[in-house]
Amino acid sequence: RQFTIKGPNTASNAGIEATLDVEYIMSMGNKVPTTFWSVAGQQPKSPENEPFLVWLEAAAKMSDADVPKVFSVSYGDNEPTVDFDYA
């Protein structure tokens, strides 16, 4: 089955966690259009964390007709290292 990819990752380079997430979601929602999002880069002042806000802002800019109606988010940060101004 096919799914759409937004971001720098590819289907062959999604990462183990992301691959498992997509496989699980697609098995539960058979024939439901699925989009995998990835974001590149680092949070300001916190290079070990990904820029979650980049994804959130991209989703917020989508029109009501285009934005997904359901999001399943698999994401984690080392919270004590997130810059307070970024949070």
Side-chain angles (χ1 to χ4, degrees):
R1 295 185 312 192
Q2 297 288 331
F3 59 94
T4 305
I5 299 173
K6 291 186 182 266
N9 289 25
T10 64
S12 63
N13 185 29
I16 293 172
E17 180 75 21
T19 299
L20 289 172
D21 290 346
V22 170
E23 288 174 354
Y24 181 75
I25 288 167
M26 291 179 72
S27 70
M28 295 291 108
N30 190 26
K31 298 183 182 178
V32 173
T34 302
T35 303
F36 169 78
W37 293 53
S38 64
V39 292
Q42 302 167 337
Q43 287 181 16
K45 302 178 187 175
S46 186
E48 67 271 14
N49 293 324
E50 296 176 34
F52 183 73
L53 188 58
V54 171
W55 166 78
L56 192 58
E57 289 173 339
K61 290 178 184 176
M62 296 180 77
S63 71
D64 287 345
D66 293 332
V67 70
K69 305 308 180 230
V70 176
F71 288 99
S72 174
V73 179
S74 177
Y75 183 82
D77 268 337
N78 183 1
E79 290 183 23
T81 66
V82 176
D83 183 63
F84 185 78
D85 291 334
Y86 184 77

